[in-house]
Amino acid sequence: MIKSIAEAKAVFESLNKNHVKYGVARNYDFLLQNRVYEGKDIDVVALGKDKNRVHSILIKHGFGKVPINPFSKKVLYGKYVAEDKKVLLFHFHLDGITGRHTRYLDAEPILSRRVKKSFFYVPASEDEFLAILLHNVLDLNHVRDTYRQKLSQMVKGLDMLYVRENLYSLFSEKQTDLILKYVSNKNYTALESLMPSLKRRFVCAHPFKISTVFIG
């Protein structure tokens, strides 16, 4: 087994054994495709109440805590994997999926719906879709090429009532309809043109959640 995969597997097995609820939201494809870790943070959503247990497990497996914004609801751990010449990074989002701006998805509903994929847990398809979509729409100024095909594939067969309800809590109904229309039609140029108004709507609707916001 590729060493970085073995290291990640050991962490997830310890989390499972210690009954720590989590869901790997992004950057886990290398675990399933048996390829070398690419160096992107493995984004994991967990509960704040499990922060100390998460810390103990990561330290036990030789990871060090990486300093980040002390006021954020995130903790980052890294370990150099000499065999792969990579620093393996676990980025834990506590109590919800948090972007550059603020938390946009709460942990409880995600973890109550999570599913097991191989040796680790991931959010249900609807929550994973929302996490990737909102990461691009709220944190970035464009939709990354690596996510375009995935979003367009995932939108098929989702529980759209659940997806729409979550998007309605952040944006207007009209904006929500446009977002889903553009993703379904793979019209990412139109979606990117919509991003400034989506960010403005989000900021206006959630002023007390915003710490630092850069409107694209």
Side-chain angles (χ1 to χ4, degrees):
M1 180 181 289
I2 293 170
K3 185 61 176 177
S4 53
I5 295 178
E7 293 281 358
K9 183 176 181 180
V11 169
F12 290 128
E13 287 180 342
S14 288
L15 292 171
N16 296 339
K17 183 179 178 180
N18 286 276
H19 307 291
V20 176
K21 281 193 172 183
Y22 69 88
V24 186
R26 290 191 295 266
N27 302 329
Y28 61 76
D29 287 346
F30 79 100
L31 297 171
L32 302 172
Q33 297 169 1
N34 196 36
R35 53 184 170 83
V36 175
Y37 171 67
E38 296 177 348
K40 300 175 182 177
D41 299 358
I42 302 174
D43 287 305
V44 185
V45 60
L47 298 173
K49 70 180 182 67
D50 290 328
K51 181 178 179 179
N52 291 337
R53 282 198 291 171
V54 168
H55 178 78
S56 296
I57 289 168
L58 270 292
I59 295 299
K60 176 183 175 182
H61 286 282
F63 286 77
K65 191 173 181 181
V66 180
I68 56 175
N69 183 349
F71 301 105
S72 75
K73 292 282 285 182
K74 300 179 187 177
V75 284
L76 180 65
Y77 294 90
K79 178 180 182 178
Y80 182 67
V81 182
E83 292 86 341
D84 298 342
K85 297 181 180 179
K86 297 282 187 179
V87 176
L88 182 62
L89 293 165
F90 280 94
H91 202 179
F92 284 86
H93 298 237
L94 302 175
D95 291 328
I97 297 179
T98 307
R100 186 174 61 184
H101 304 143
T102 188
R103 188 173 70 205
Y104 39 72
L105 289 174
D106 292 331
E108 289 285 0
I110 292 172
L111 298 181
S112 69
R113 292 162 43 85
R114 67 182 185 150
V115 295
K116 196 165 189 181
K117 191 179 287 274
S118 185
F119 52 82
F120 57 98
Y121 286 91
V122 300
S125 297
E126 291 80 9
D127 293 310
E128 183 178 11
F129 173 81
L130 287 165
I132 294 172
L133 175 66
L134 293 171
H135 171 57
N136 282 269
V137 166
L138 294 176
D139 292 333
L140 307 176
N141 294 318
H142 65 286
V143 182
R144 289 179 178 168
D145 291 340
T146 53
Y147 289 132
R148 292 187 175 202
Q149 183 177 359
K150 188 165 187 175
L151 285 170
S152 294
Q153 289 176 341
M154 291 185 71
V155 75
K156 304 169 185 176
L158 296 178
D159 178 351
M160 295 311 295
L161 178 60
Y162 179 86
V163 171
R164 286 180 184 276
E165 285 178 349
N166 276 272
L167 291 177
Y168 287 161
S169 71
L170 303 174
F171 311 114
S172 70
E173 291 190 20
K174 181 178 179 181
Q175 287 173 325
T176 294
D177 291 341
L178 286 173
I179 291 169
L180 296 175
K181 174 185 174 182
Y182 293 152
V183 171
S184 297
N185 294 336
K186 301 181 182 181
N187 190 350
Y188 290 102
T189 299
L191 180 58
E192 288 169 347
S193 297
L194 189 64
M195 283 184 184
S197 65
L198 294 175
K199 292 177 182 179
R200 284 193 293 269
R201 170 76 183 200
F202 181 77
V203 173
C204 291
H206 305 278
F208 299 109
K209 287 187 177 182
I210 310 299
S211 53
T212 303
V213 180
F214 300 96
I215 302 299

Short mmCIF file of all heavy atoms in Angstrom, two decimals, residues 65-101:
data_model
loop_
_atom_site.label_atom_id
_atom_site.label_comp_id
_atom_site.label_asym_id
_atom_site.label_seq_id
_atom_site.Cartn_x
_atom_site.Cartn_y
_atom_site.Cartn_z
N LYS A 65 0.62 19.63 15.07
CA LYS A 65 -0.38 20.66 14.84
C LYS A 65 0.27 21.82 14.12
O LYS A 65 1.31 22.33 14.54
CB LYS A 65 -0.99 21.11 16.17
CG LYS A 65 -2.22 21.98 16.01
CD LYS A 65 -2.86 22.25 17.37
CE LYS A 65 -4.12 23.10 17.22
NZ LYS A 65 -4.74 23.38 18.54
N VAL A 66 -0.35 22.25 13.03
CA VAL A 66 0.17 23.35 12.21
C VAL A 66 -0.54 24.64 12.62
O VAL A 66 -1.78 24.68 12.62
CB VAL A 66 -0.05 23.07 10.71
CG1 VAL A 66 0.50 24.21 9.88
CG2 VAL A 66 0.61 21.74 10.32
N PRO A 67 0.19 25.69 12.98
CA PRO A 67 -0.47 26.94 13.40
C PRO A 67 -1.31 27.56 12.28
O PRO A 67 -0.84 27.70 11.14
CB PRO A 67 0.71 27.85 13.76
CG PRO A 67 1.86 26.93 13.99
CD PRO A 67 1.65 25.78 13.06
N ILE A 68 -2.55 27.88 12.59
CA ILE A 68 -3.41 28.64 11.69
C ILE A 68 -4.14 29.68 12.53
O ILE A 68 -3.88 29.81 13.73
CB ILE A 68 -4.41 27.73 10.93
CG1 ILE A 68 -5.26 26.91 11.92
CG2 ILE A 68 -3.69 26.80 9.97
CD1 ILE A 68 -6.34 26.08 11.24
N ASN A 69 -5.06 30.42 11.94
CA ASN A 69 -5.81 31.44 12.65
C ASN A 69 -6.41 30.88 13.95
O ASN A 69 -7.26 29.98 13.90
CB ASN A 69 -6.93 31.97 11.75
CG ASN A 69 -7.73 33.11 12.39
OD1 ASN A 69 -7.60 33.38 13.59
ND2 ASN A 69 -8.53 33.78 11.60
N PRO A 70 -5.99 31.36 15.11
CA PRO A 70 -6.48 30.80 16.38
C PRO A 70 -7.95 31.06 16.64
O PRO A 70 -8.55 30.43 17.51
CB PRO A 70 -5.60 31.49 17.42
CG PRO A 70 -5.21 32.79 16.78
CD PRO A 70 -5.05 32.47 15.32
N PHE A 71 -8.55 32.00 15.90
CA PHE A 71 -9.96 32.33 16.10
C PHE A 71 -10.89 31.54 15.17
O PHE A 71 -12.10 31.66 15.26
CB PHE A 71 -10.19 33.83 15.91
CG PHE A 71 -9.39 34.67 16.86
CD1 PHE A 71 -8.26 35.35 16.42
CD2 PHE A 71 -9.73 34.76 18.20
CE1 PHE A 71 -7.51 36.12 17.30
CE2 PHE A 71 -8.99 35.53 19.09
CZ PHE A 71 -7.87 36.20 18.64
N SER A 72 -10.29 30.76 14.28
CA SER A 72 -11.11 29.98 13.34
C SER A 72 -11.59 28.71 14.01
O SER A 72 -11.09 28.30 15.07
CB SER A 72 -10.31 29.64 12.09
OG SER A 72 -9.38 28.60 12.36
N LYS A 73 -12.56 28.06 13.39
CA LYS A 73 -13.08 26.79 13.89
C LYS A 73 -12.45 25.64 13.10
O LYS A 73 -13.10 24.65 12.76
CB LYS A 73 -14.60 26.74 13.77
CG LYS A 73 -15.33 27.69 14.69
CD LYS A 73 -15.38 27.15 16.11
CE LYS A 73 -16.39 26.02 16.23
NZ LYS A 73 -16.50 25.51 17.63
N LYS A 74 -11.15 25.79 12.84
CA LYS A 74 -10.42 24.76 12.10
C LYS A 74 -9.14 24.41 12.84
O LYS A 74 -8.57 25.25 13.53
CB LYS A 74 -10.05 25.26 10.70
CG LYS A 74 -11.21 25.65 9.81
CD LYS A 74 -10.66 26.14 8.48
CE LYS A 74 -11.73 26.71 7.59
NZ LYS A 74 -11.19 27.24 6.32
N VAL A 75 -8.70 23.18 12.69
CA VAL A 75 -7.39 22.76 13.18
C VAL A 75 -6.71 21.96 12.07
O VAL A 75 -7.36 21.17 11.37
CB VAL A 75 -7.48 21.94 14.48
CG1 VAL A 75 -7.78 22.83 15.66
CG2 VAL A 75 -8.52 20.83 14.37
N LEU A 76 -5.42 22.18 11.93
CA LEU A 76 -4.66 21.57 10.83
C LEU A 76 -3.52 20.74 11.42
O LEU A 76 -2.81 21.19 12.32
CB LEU A 76 -4.10 22.67 9.92
CG LEU A 76 -3.27 22.25 8.71
CD1 LEU A 76 -4.12 21.45 7.72
CD2 LEU A 76 -2.69 23.49 8.02
N TYR A 77 -3.34 19.53 10.88
CA TYR A 77 -2.27 18.65 11.32
C TYR A 77 -1.49 18.18 10.09
O TYR A 77 -2.07 17.92 9.03
CB TYR A 77 -2.84 17.43 12.05
CG TYR A 77 -3.51 17.77 13.35
CD1 TYR A 77 -4.88 18.06 13.40
CD2 TYR A 77 -2.79 17.81 14.55
CE1 TYR A 77 -5.51 18.39 14.60
CE2 TYR A 77 -3.42 18.13 15.75
CZ TYR A 77 -4.76 18.42 15.77
OH TYR A 77 -5.37 18.76 16.95
N GLY A 78 -0.18 18.04 10.25
CA GLY A 78 0.65 17.60 9.15
C GLY A 78 1.71 16.60 9.58
O GLY A 78 2.14 16.60 10.73
N LYS A 79 2.09 15.75 8.64
CA LYS A 79 3.15 14.77 8.88
C LYS A 79 3.90 14.53 7.58
O LYS A 79 3.28 14.29 6.53
CB LYS A 79 2.55 13.46 9.40
CG LYS A 79 3.58 12.35 9.65
CD LYS A 79 2.90 11.08 10.16
CE LYS A 79 3.93 10.00 10.45
NZ LYS A 79 3.28 8.76 10.99
N TYR A 80 5.23 14.59 7.64
CA TYR A 80 6.02 14.35 6.43
C TYR A 80 6.12 12.84 6.18
O TYR A 80 6.53 12.08 7.06
CB TYR A 80 7.41 14.94 6.57
CG TYR A 80 8.25 14.75 5.32
CD1 TYR A 80 7.91 15.40 4.13
CD2 TYR A 80 9.36 13.91 5.33
CE1 TYR A 80 8.67 15.22 2.97
CE2 TYR A 80 10.13 13.73 4.18
CZ TYR A 80 9.77 14.38 3.00
OH TYR A 80 10.51 14.20 1.86
N VAL A 81 5.72 12.44 4.98
CA VAL A 81 5.79 11.04 4.58
C VAL A 81 6.97 10.91 3.62
O VAL A 81 6.88 11.25 2.44
CB VAL A 81 4.48 10.57 3.90
CG1 VAL A 81 4.57 9.10 3.53
CG2 VAL A 81 3.28 10.82 4.82
N ALA A 82 8.09 10.44 4.16
CA ALA A 82 9.34 10.42 3.40
C ALA A 82 9.23 9.57 2.13
O ALA A 82 9.77 9.95 1.08
CB ALA A 82 10.47 9.90 4.29
N GLU A 83 8.54 8.43 2.24
CA GLU A 83 8.43 7.53 1.09
C GLU A 83 7.77 8.20 -0.11
O GLU A 83 8.08 7.91 -1.26
CB GLU A 83 7.64 6.28 1.47
CG GLU A 83 8.35 5.37 2.45
CD GLU A 83 8.11 5.77 3.89
OE1 GLU A 83 7.72 6.93 4.15
OE2 GLU A 83 8.33 4.92 4.77
N ASP A 84 6.81 9.11 0.16
CA ASP A 84 6.09 9.79 -0.93
C ASP A 84 6.60 11.21 -1.15
O ASP A 84 6.12 11.91 -2.05
CB ASP A 84 4.59 9.84 -0.60
CG ASP A 84 3.97 8.47 -0.50
OD1 ASP A 84 4.59 7.49 -0.99
OD2 ASP A 84 2.88 8.34 0.09
N LYS A 85 7.52 11.66 -0.29
CA LYS A 85 8.07 13.02 -0.37
C LYS A 85 6.95 14.07 -0.32
O LYS A 85 6.92 15.02 -1.08
CB LYS A 85 8.91 13.19 -1.63
CG LYS A 85 10.13 12.29 -1.68
CD LYS A 85 10.94 12.50 -2.95
CE LYS A 85 12.15 11.56 -2.95
NZ LYS A 85 12.97 11.72 -4.20
N LYS A 86 5.99 13.84 0.60
CA LYS A 86 4.84 14.72 0.74
C LYS A 86 4.56 14.98 2.22
O LYS A 86 4.84 14.13 3.07
CB LYS A 86 3.58 14.07 0.13
CG LYS A 86 3.65 13.82 -1.36
CD LYS A 86 3.40 15.08 -2.16
CE LYS A 86 3.30 14.76 -3.65
NZ LYS A 86 3.05 15.98 -4.44
N VAL A 87 3.98 16.14 2.51
CA VAL A 87 3.46 16.42 3.84
C VAL A 87 1.97 16.11 3.79
O VAL A 87 1.21 16.76 3.07
CB VAL A 87 3.69 17.88 4.26
CG1 VAL A 87 3.05 18.14 5.63
CG2 VAL A 87 5.19 18.19 4.32
N LEU A 88 1.57 15.08 4.54
CA LEU A 88 0.16 14.67 4.59
C LEU A 88 -0.57 15.61 5.55
O LEU A 88 -0.17 15.74 6.71
CB LEU A 88 0.06 13.23 5.06
CG LEU A 88 -1.33 12.59 5.14
CD1 LEU A 88 -1.98 12.54 3.76
CD2 LEU A 88 -1.23 11.18 5.74
N LEU A 89 -1.63 16.26 5.07
CA LEU A 89 -2.33 17.27 5.85
C LEU A 89 -3.79 16.90 6.10
O LEU A 89 -4.53 16.59 5.16
CB LEU A 89 -2.27 18.62 5.13
CG LEU A 89 -0.88 19.26 5.01
CD1 LEU A 89 -0.91 20.38 3.97
CD2 LEU A 89 -0.42 19.80 6.36
N PHE A 90 -4.19 16.96 7.37
CA PHE A 90 -5.58 16.80 7.76
C PHE A 90 -6.09 18.15 8.26
O PHE A 90 -5.55 18.70 9.22
CB PHE A 90 -5.72 15.77 8.89
CG PHE A 90 -5.68 14.34 8.43
CD1 PHE A 90 -4.49 13.63 8.43
CD2 PHE A 90 -6.84 13.70 8.02
CE1 PHE A 90 -4.45 12.31 8.02
CE2 PHE A 90 -6.82 12.38 7.60
CZ PHE A 90 -5.61 11.67 7.61
N HIS A 91 -7.15 18.64 7.62
CA HIS A 91 -7.73 19.94 7.96
C HIS A 91 -9.11 19.69 8.55
O HIS A 91 -10.06 19.41 7.82
CB HIS A 91 -7.82 20.81 6.70
CG HIS A 91 -7.89 22.26 6.97
ND1 HIS A 91 -7.95 23.20 5.98
CD2 HIS A 91 -7.90 22.96 8.14
CE1 HIS A 91 -8.01 24.41 6.52
NE2 HIS A 91 -7.98 24.28 7.82
N PHE A 92 -9.22 19.78 9.87
CA PHE A 92 -10.50 19.50 10.53
C PHE A 92 -11.33 20.77 10.66
O PHE A 92 -10.87 21.77 11.22
CB PHE A 92 -10.25 18.89 11.92
CG PHE A 92 -9.84 17.46 11.88
CD1 PHE A 92 -8.51 17.11 11.72
CD2 PHE A 92 -10.79 16.45 11.99
CE1 PHE A 92 -8.12 15.77 11.67
CE2 PHE A 92 -10.42 15.11 11.94
CZ PHE A 92 -9.08 14.77 11.78
N HIS A 93 -12.56 20.72 10.14
CA HIS A 93 -13.54 21.80 10.27
C HIS A 93 -14.46 21.42 11.42
O HIS A 93 -15.20 20.43 11.33
CB HIS A 93 -14.35 21.95 8.98
CG HIS A 93 -13.53 22.32 7.78
ND1 HIS A 93 -13.79 23.44 7.02
CD2 HIS A 93 -12.47 21.71 7.20
CE1 HIS A 93 -12.93 23.51 6.03
NE2 HIS A 93 -12.12 22.46 6.12
N LEU A 94 -14.42 22.17 12.50
CA LEU A 94 -15.17 21.82 13.70
C LEU A 94 -16.57 22.43 13.71
O LEU A 94 -16.72 23.63 13.46
CB LEU A 94 -14.40 22.25 14.94
CG LEU A 94 -12.99 21.65 15.06
CD1 LEU A 94 -12.27 22.24 16.27
CD2 LEU A 94 -13.03 20.13 15.16
N ASP A 95 -17.57 21.62 13.93
CA ASP A 95 -18.97 22.02 14.02
C ASP A 95 -19.57 22.46 12.70
O ASP A 95 -20.69 22.98 12.66
CB ASP A 95 -19.17 23.12 15.08
CG ASP A 95 -18.95 22.58 16.49
OD1 ASP A 95 -19.24 21.40 16.71
OD2 ASP A 95 -18.49 23.34 17.35
N GLY A 96 -18.86 22.28 11.61
CA GLY A 96 -19.43 22.61 10.31
C GLY A 96 -18.34 22.84 9.29
O GLY A 96 -17.16 22.95 9.62
N ILE A 97 -18.73 22.88 8.02
CA ILE A 97 -17.77 23.13 6.95
C ILE A 97 -17.59 24.63 6.81
O ILE A 97 -18.54 25.37 6.57
CB ILE A 97 -18.23 22.49 5.63
CG1 ILE A 97 -18.30 20.97 5.80
CG2 ILE A 97 -17.28 22.87 4.50
CD1 ILE A 97 -18.77 20.23 4.57
N THR A 98 -16.36 25.06 7.00
CA THR A 98 -16.04 26.48 7.03
C THR A 98 -15.11 26.82 5.88
O THR A 98 -14.15 26.11 5.61
CB THR A 98 -15.35 26.84 8.37
OG1 THR A 98 -16.16 26.37 9.43
CG2 THR A 98 -15.15 28.33 8.50
N GLY A 99 -15.40 27.95 5.24
CA GLY A 99 -14.56 28.41 4.16
C GLY A 99 -13.72 29.60 4.60
O GLY A 99 -13.51 29.85 5.78
N ARG A 100 -13.24 30.34 3.64
CA ARG A 100 -12.42 31.51 3.93
C ARG A 100 -13.24 32.56 4.67
O ARG A 100 -12.71 33.37 5.42
CB ARG A 100 -11.88 32.09 2.62
CG ARG A 100 -10.90 33.23 2.79
CD ARG A 100 -10.31 33.62 1.46
NE ARG A 100 -11.32 34.08 0.52
CZ ARG A 100 -11.05 34.41 -0.73
NH1 ARG A 100 -9.84 34.29 -1.21
NH2 ARG A 100 -12.03 34.84 -1.53
N HIS A 101 -14.55 32.55 4.43
CA HIS A 101 -15.40 33.59 4.99
C HIS A 101 -16.06 33.18 6.30
O HIS A 101 -15.93 33.84 7.32
CB HIS A 101 -16.50 33.96 3.97
CG HIS A 101 -15.94 34.37 2.64
ND1 HIS A 101 -16.54 34.04 1.46
CD2 HIS A 101 -14.83 35.08 2.33
CE1 HIS A 101 -15.83 34.54 0.46
NE2 HIS A 101 -14.80 35.16 0.96
#
